[in-house]
Amino acid sequence: MQFLRESFIVFRRQLRMNLRNPAWVLIGLMQPILYLFLFGPLLKPMAEQLGVQNTWTFFVPGMLVQLGMFGAFFAGFGLISEWRDGVIEAERVTPASRTALLMGRLWRDLLQLLVQALVLVGLGYWVGMDAPLGGVVLGVLLTLLVGGACAAASNALALTTKSEDVMAPVINVVMMPVLLLSGILLPMTIGPDWLQRTSDFMPFRWITDGVRGSFLGDFGANGVMWGSVWAVVLFAIALWWGTATFRKENA
Amino acid sequence: MIHARGLVQTFQTREGRKKGEVRAVDGVDLDVAEGEVVGFLGPNGAGKTTTLRMLTTLLRPTAGTATVAGFDVVKESEQVRRSIGYVSQSGATGQFARAGDEVVDHGMLYGMSAADARRRGQELFGQLDLEGLWGRQPKTMSGGQRRRLDIVMGLIHEPTLVFLDEPTTGLDPQARANLWTHIADLRKRRGATVFLTTHYLDEADALSDRIIIIDHGKIIAADTSDNLKAQVSGDLVDLEVADPDLVAEAAKRLDSIAETDSDGRDAVEIDGNHVRARVQRAGKAVPGLLADLRAADIDLESIEVLRPTLDDVFLTLTGRSLRDAESSAPADPTSKEK
Ligand SMILES: Nc1ncnc2c1ncn2[C@@H]1O[C@H](COP(=O)(O)OP(=O)(O)O)[C@@H](O)[C@H]1O
Ligand SMILES: [Mg+2]
């Protein structure tokens, strides 16, 4: 109870500051729209090669996961400037739970992601995506878990490095393989064998497959199960890491 | 209120591939009684902030123990946090937030209701001359206003023990003087115990009942300002001799009333036309000296008698002046100061 209250105080503060910045709101809303209308036409011809029945049902899940990961990876940058202002230290000197200090920020990131996901899915339906509602709900849920994991990890990284200059290259190094090996926009199955084997070690690939599977209504498939397992595992690990950095005496 | 024994903090540092260890705080013992205002004085890099961060539970001591407001800083950190207010060196509010929102949220993290936090916050805005700034962004405030806002944040939950880290650093003299009255008010008005760090001598002198001096992570003295100054033997007498040829002669006369230092060496210092020495109870000895000089036909351009300062105390204890220590202090790579 107290934990939720403290998380909410932190969340409300974050949201208030973000909403006061029109650029943040605008860019956040434009992102899914741009994905759909700029990427979509590029991907359409690919769909025929892949033998996909409905282009949108196939590509919207990938865009969703990408949206979730990308936005969240950058969540930590805001934290560095908060740390510089002394805000983190001021919060850590209160009796509030360390996890709540992180959780409130994650809620903000998740809310942002949820709104973006709803815009993307809504637009997807509008242009002709054909996915069962239950599958979409599960897909969005998995995306939120991944996004939450990435945001928590990004926050942890931010508090560890405390410098944009150190953090930016690290994120780039991490993002590269994640992006290439996750089959976010194109499924790994069209790649050569060795690339597929490599991507087996990439948890994000399983999650992307899981979201795609659930959009197809394919709940029985291995993909959905493994995707869900990985999403939960990653979220738990990242949350633990993030809390540890907020708790850590040196932050 | 504060009892610390053998506090140590070591930081791992890395310069390229070379790993090192900084002993930022090196065996600090502290005792602060309830209702005291204590100045924690030392040059930059002495370990003041690090000590404070251990006492406020932000940093776990590498070794040693401390109880603050009756609770152990490691085992009962939550109760410690509830009992203390902390005004950090680097501020406490987001630049782009609104001052009032920050204060209310901060109070709520201490478990206050929104209404209580707002009422108390507005009361403190009044007391600290921040009326009309409730809706302002900290980045648009003056340095002094921002510092007072930090103090409001630290007092929102009515702590009985307040830690202030370099409260007036970077402020202009007027804003400093203004802030001093507010800090003095902390005890007058609410009977709070105040522990403040500073590297300004005048600040420690003006505000504290007792001064604890730290250098290189070690406590080198702890006493009232007057007692500390009394450790320095005598007042400084500075004669400016009119005729350069008579400087040596004047030095001899001054030597007759001067202290000899502990090694029994001659303590008179000659610097161009100036002759200086420490003299016990100079007010009483100087008239005799002047008569002596006149009798020898030695004319003076000027004479100055200086009471010992805390800088003299620091000089006596460490062999260097606090101002020199300041400029030779290693640059702090993790400094958050702007
Ligand atoms: N996080 C840290 N990592 C490494 N060294 C540190 C860290 N914090 C402080 N130091 C070092 O510890 C010493 C004491 O610093 P500090 O307590 O900030 O001094 P003060 O507040 O008296 O100016 C300095 O040499 C500083 O460089
Ligand atoms: Mg300091």
Side-chain angles (χ1 to χ4, degrees):
Chain A
M1 208 27 232
Q2 188 173 338
F3 171 74
L4 291 180
R5 179 178 181 273
E6 289 163 358
S7 301
F8 181 74
I9 295 165
V10 174
F11 164 72
R12 194 184 50 181
R13 173 174 184 279
Q14 294 293 326
L15 193 65
R16 190 195 297 130
M17 306 231 313
N18 283 148
L19 287 181
R20 217 174 266 150
N21 179 0
W24 182 82
V25 179
L26 213 64
I27 291 172
L29 286 177
M30 284 305 287
Q31 252 175 347
I33 300 174
L34 291 179
Y35 268 124
L36 206 66
F37 291 115
L38 295 185
F39 265 140
L42 275 176
L43 295 170
K44 227 165 177 151
M46 303 291 294
E48 279 143 41
Q49 280 181 34
L50 290 167
V52 171
Q53 281 176 353
N54 182 321
T55 327
W56 298 116
T57 317
F58 190 81
F59 287 124
V60 167
M63 293 176 186
L64 195 58
V65 175
Q66 182 164 5
L67 200 61
M69 290 188 343
F70 272 47
F73 268 137
F74 290 96
F77 283 98
L79 195 66
I80 295 180
S81 63
E82 284 196 273
W83 174 79
R84 208 167 278 130
D85 285 345
V87 173
I88 307 299
E89 191 110 319
E91 288 180 353
R92 288 178 70 243
V93 91
T94 71
S97 144
R98 317 288 95 170
T99 316
L101 300 181
L102 174 68
M103 198 51 92
R105 290 178 165 82
L106 287 189
W107 285 359
R108 186 268 326 263
D109 296 329
L110 290 177
L111 178 68
Q112 175 187 6
L113 182 53
L114 179 65
V115 171
Q116 290 182 320
L118 292 180
V119 171
L120 184 67
V121 168
L123 286 174
Y125 273 127
W126 183 59
V127 297
M129 179 178 78
D130 175 24
L133 195 62
V136 169
V137 170
L138 179 63
V140 170
L141 215 62
L142 291 182
T143 306
L144 289 178
L145 282 175
V146 179
C150 293
S154 176
N155 277 316
L157 191 64
L159 268 196
T160 310
T161 61
K162 294 187 192 107
S163 145
E164 288 92 346
D165 297 339
V166 179
M167 180 148 155
V170 173
I171 290 202
N172 273 326
V173 165
V174 174
M175 219 144 71
M176 212 26 187
V178 167
L179 192 60
L180 292 178
L181 290 176
S182 300
I184 281 183
L185 293 176
L186 297 173
M188 293 315 291
T189 45
I190 63 170
D193 210 38
W194 65 268
L195 201 57
Q196 287 192 37
R197 294 287 79 78
T198 317
S199 76
D200 283 346
F201 294 98
M202 174 57 66
F204 292 99
R205 199 214 89 186
W206 293 101
I207 296 168
T208 311
D209 286 353
V211 175
R212 199 167 273 147
S214 71
F215 266 59
L216 289 168
D218 216 358
F219 299 118
N222 255 345
V224 174
M225 190 189 80
W226 281 113
S228 309
V229 169
W230 272 118
V232 170
V233 168
L234 285 186
F235 185 73
I237 292 176
L239 198 62
W240 169 82
W241 184 29
T243 310
T245 55
F246 265 90
R247 193 181 304 276
K248 209 174 108 196
E249 46 282 359
N250 229 342
Chain B
M1 255 338 213
I2 306 176
H3 301 283
R5 286 293 167 272
L7 277 186
V8 174
Q9 185 70 50
T10 56
F11 291 114
Q12 310 300 324
T13 57
R14 203 174 292 159
E15 251 176 73
R17 293 193 161 256
K18 224 173 47 200
K19 277 193 194 170
E21 205 182 63
V22 183
R23 244 174 133 74
V25 174
D26 194 2
V28 159
D29 296 343
L30 283 174
D31 290 287
V32 175
E34 193 169 342
E36 254 190 320
V37 177
V38 171
F40 197 38
L41 176 71
N44 270 327
K48 303 183 295 294
T49 299
T50 307
T51 306
L52 226 61
R53 295 184 71 226
M54 288 192 277
L55 295 176
T56 54
T57 77
L58 291 169
L59 200 60
R60 183 186 288 262
T62 310
T65 57
T67 59
V68 170
F71 300 104
D72 186 286
V73 291
V74 176
K75 293 188 211 98
E76 299 164 306
S77 55
E78 203 181 315
Q79 286 97 316
V80 172
R81 288 184 195 129
R82 238 174 251 295
S83 325
I84 61 170
Y86 173 55
V87 178
S88 89
Q89 197 171 350
S90 49
T93 54
Q95 301 221 28
F96 298 96
R98 313 256 159 178
D101 291 341
E102 294 291 76
V103 168
V104 172
D105 281 351
H106 199 59
M108 288 181 75
L109 284 180
Y110 279 102
M112 300 170 78
S113 73
D116 280 352
R118 175 162 300 114
R119 186 165 349 97
R120 172 93 184 115
Q122 278 167 350
E123 197 181 301
L124 285 167
F125 265 56
Q127 289 173 9
L128 285 147
D129 300 329
L130 289 169
E131 285 108 343
L133 298 181
W134 189 259
R136 277 273 280 280
Q137 295 186 321
K139 79 168 159 125
T140 67
M141 293 183 172
S142 75
Q145 290 171 336
R146 222 167 17 224
R147 223 50 193 125
R148 276 177 275 143
L149 175 61
D150 292 336
I151 293 180
V152 171
M153 296 278 280
L155 295 181
I156 187 73
H157 58 297
E158 312 206 25
T160 48
L161 169 59
V162 185
F163 291 90
L164 299 162
D165 197 0
E166 308 254 0
T168 67
T169 298
L171 298 185
D172 60 67
Q174 219 172 339
R176 287 183 67 204
N178 170 290
L179 202 56
W180 284 1
T181 60
H182 289 301
I183 294 171
D185 265 0
L186 288 181
R187 178 174 49 185
K188 241 187 275 162
R189 237 188 251 223
R190 62 191 87 244
T193 308
V194 179
F195 191 80
L196 76 120
T197 82
T198 179
H199 64 275
Y200 296 123
L201 303 154
D202 51 347
E203 186 158 294
D205 226 350
L207 291 174
S208 3
D209 304 327
R210 212 152 58 81
I211 293 173
I212 300 177
I213 303 182
I214 182 170
D215 188 36
H216 295 309
K218 289 192 167 82
I219 305 288
I220 53 174
D223 213 329
T224 61
S225 174
D226 286 341
N227 284 352
L228 285 172
K229 287 173 188 167
Q231 287 180 14
V232 179
S233 353
D235 308 319
L236 186 69
V237 175
D238 182 327
L239 308 176
E240 191 183 354
V241 184
D243 183 350
D245 296 336
L246 295 176
V247 167
E249 190 61 28
K252 213 186 292 170
R253 310 282 152 153
L254 179 57
D255 193 24
S256 64
I257 60 164
E259 293 273 304
T260 48
D261 63 19
S262 50
D263 310 334
R265 265 180 307 143
D266 194 2
V268 178
E269 187 188 315
I270 298 176
D271 174 12
N273 270 13
H274 286 266
V275 181
R276 286 186 209 103
R278 294 230 166 256
V279 174
Q280 206 66 264
R281 306 228 277 162
K284 203 165 176 202
V286 162
L289 173 70
L290 289 178
D292 198 12
L293 290 170
R294 182 153 331 115
D297 268 341
I298 303 171
D299 283 335
L300 296 181
E301 282 296 326
S302 69
I303 173 166
E304 257 189 293
V305 178
L306 299 169
R307 306 273 307 141
T309 64
L310 282 175
D311 198 28
D312 297 323
V313 175
F314 193 81
L315 183 70
T316 310
L317 290 167
T318 66
R320 33 200 238 298
S321 147
L322 191 60
R323 286 183 193 88
D324 297 343
E326 199 80 309
S327 52
S328 68
D332 183 353
T334 59
S335 171
K336 288 189 279 181
E337 284 162 87
K338 277 154 240 160

